[in-house]
Amino acid sequence: MTDPSAAILSSFSSALASVVARATPSIVSVHSHRSRASGFVWKPGLVVTADEALAEEGEISIKLADGTARSGSIVGRDHTTDIALVRFDAKDIAPIKLSPEVPALGSLSIVVAAERGAPAAALGTISLTGGRWRSLRGGDIDARIELDVRLRHSHQGGLALNAAGEPIGMAVLGARRVIVIPAATIDRVAARLETHGRIARGYLGVGLQPIKLDDGIGAMVMSVDKTGPSAAAGIRQGDVIVGWNDEKLSGVRALLRALGPDSVGSVVDVAIRRGGEPVRVKLTIGERPEA
C-alpha cells in the first residue's frame, strides 16, 4: 500500500521539477572577463542580467542551456537598479514573460539560474514584501520582495518564480539578503536601456550639506559645478536651499529623489536663503554626466 504522505511529496517534487523545466530554456549564463552571472531572455536577442555581477569591461559570452556559447555585447546598464541588458545572436530562443504579481508573504519561490550554462535551481520562501522603495544607489524599485534562499554570486540575474511557476523578477544579492528586482522595474529600465543605452538622471551641479534651521531643514550649497545647471541659474556657494516648487524642503534625500529620469529638462522654482535674505531662482534640471 502506497504511503499517502510519500505520494503527496512525490507529486509536489514532480510539480517543482516541471516548473523549473519550463523556465530553463530561457535561462543563460553570462560570462564577462572573470565574472559570471545568470540571465534570462527578455526579448528575442536580448538578455537581462544583474549589473553588479558583470565586469566593467571585456568581452561578453552567453552560454545557452544546450551548452553552446554565443558572443554578446552590452546594450546598457543601470547601477542603481542592478539591471544590465545584453544583446546576442539567438533570436530563436523564446523570451520569458514576466508577471507583475507581488507574491504573498510566506509563499514558495523558486530561483532558476545557470552555472556555466547548466541549469540550477533553489527553493525558498518569500520572506518580506512591501511597496515601492529606493535602492542604496538611488534606483526606484517598484516593489520590495525578499527571498529566504541561498543564492550563489554566479546565480545573480536568475529568475525568481512564484508558486505557480510565473516569473516575478530577477534575483540578486542585497546587503544582507536576496532581493527580487520586480517585473515592473525590469520592463521599465530595460526598455530605456534598449532605446537609449543608459538611464538619464537629473543633475543640479551642486554639492549639498543638510543643515537645521529655526523653521525647518535646509540644504547648504557646499560646491558648485561652474558648467552645471545651478551655476547657470545663479546659485552660489553658501546659499541654503529651503524650498522646491513652493514646498518646504524636507531633506537632501527628498531633493535627490526628485531627480529621476523624468526630471531632466524640467524647470523648477528654487527658494534660497542668501545671507539670511530670501531669493528665488528658476533652475532647469540637467542630465547627470556619465561617470
Side-chain angles (χ1 to χ4, degrees):
M1 182 175 179
T2 304
D3 184 350
S5 60
I8 293 172
L9 185 60
S10 177
S11 177
F12 175 64
S13 178
S14 296
L16 290 178
S18 178
V19 164
V20 172
R22 289 198 302 270
T24 52
S26 299
I27 303 296
V28 301
S29 284
V30 183
H31 294 206
S32 61
H33 193 46
R34 296 180 181 178
S35 299
R36 294 199 307 274
S38 298
F40 59 92
V41 180
W42 175 66
K43 282 185 177 182
L46 291 171
V47 164
V48 166
T49 186
D51 173 74
E52 192 170 326
L54 290 181
E56 290 297 326
E57 57 184 14
E59 297 180 352
I60 303 291
S61 175
I62 304 293
K63 282 198 171 184
L64 309 181
D66 62 5
T68 60
R70 311 283 176 87
S71 61
S73 59
I74 294 178
V75 176
R77 53 198 307 175
D78 179 35
H79 299 303
T80 70
T81 57
D82 207 2
I83 295 172
L85 190 64
V86 177
R87 189 183 307 279
F88 75 120
D89 185 18
K91 296 185 178 180
D92 54 329
I93 300 178
I96 283 289
K97 184 177 181 181
L98 296 170
S99 169
E101 177 198 358
V102 175
L105 181 67
S107 60
L108 293 176
S109 177
I110 305 171
V111 175
V112 183
E115 185 66 38
R116 300 181 184 273
L123 177 64
T125 58
I126 305 295
S127 59
L128 190 149
T129 61
R132 193 180 187 94
W133 61 289
R134 196 171 185 84
S135 74
L136 293 175
R137 294 182 175 179
D140 290 318
I141 313 296
D142 292 76
R144 181 175 286 278
I145 307 172
E146 295 181 8
L147 300 181
D148 182 10
V149 67
R150 182 184 177 190
L151 189 72
R152 295 183 182 180
H153 188 273
S154 60
H155 293 177
Q156 291 193 91
L159 275 177
L161 313 177
N162 62 16
E166 299 169 325
I168 58 171
M170 178 176 68
V172 299
L173 289 170
R176 293 180 298 275
R177 58 190 64 86
V178 176
I179 297 170
V180 175
I181 306 300
T185 305
I186 292 170
D187 287 337
R188 170 170 53 83
V189 173
R192 285 182 180 265
L193 292 177
E194 182 184 13
T195 303
H196 303 292
R198 64 189 296 263
I199 302 297
R201 303 287 174 188
Y203 181 61
L204 299 180
V206 288
L208 299 174
Q209 174 70 40
I211 61 171
K212 289 185 178 181
L213 304 172
D214 292 339
D215 56 351
I217 297 174
M220 178 172 282
V221 177
M222 306 302 291
S223 61
V224 181
D225 177 357
K226 294 180 180 180
T227 62
S230 292
I235 293 177
R236 306 172 187 171
Q237 185 176 359
D239 286 348
V240 178
I241 298 174
V242 296
W244 186 270
N245 281 343
D246 297 322
E247 293 186 5
K248 291 184 68 173
L249 191 71
S250 59
V252 172
R253 287 186 179 181
L255 180 60
L256 298 179
R257 279 197 294 269
L259 301 178
D262 296 331
S263 70
V264 178
S266 63
V267 179
V268 293
D269 183 20
V270 184
I272 292 170
R273 289 184 189 169
R274 177 176 294 161
E277 297 297 322
V279 177
R280 284 186 175 270
V281 300
K282 295 287 186 181
L283 185 151
T284 300
I285 297 176
E287 181 176 339
R288 180 174 295 278
E290 290 191 68

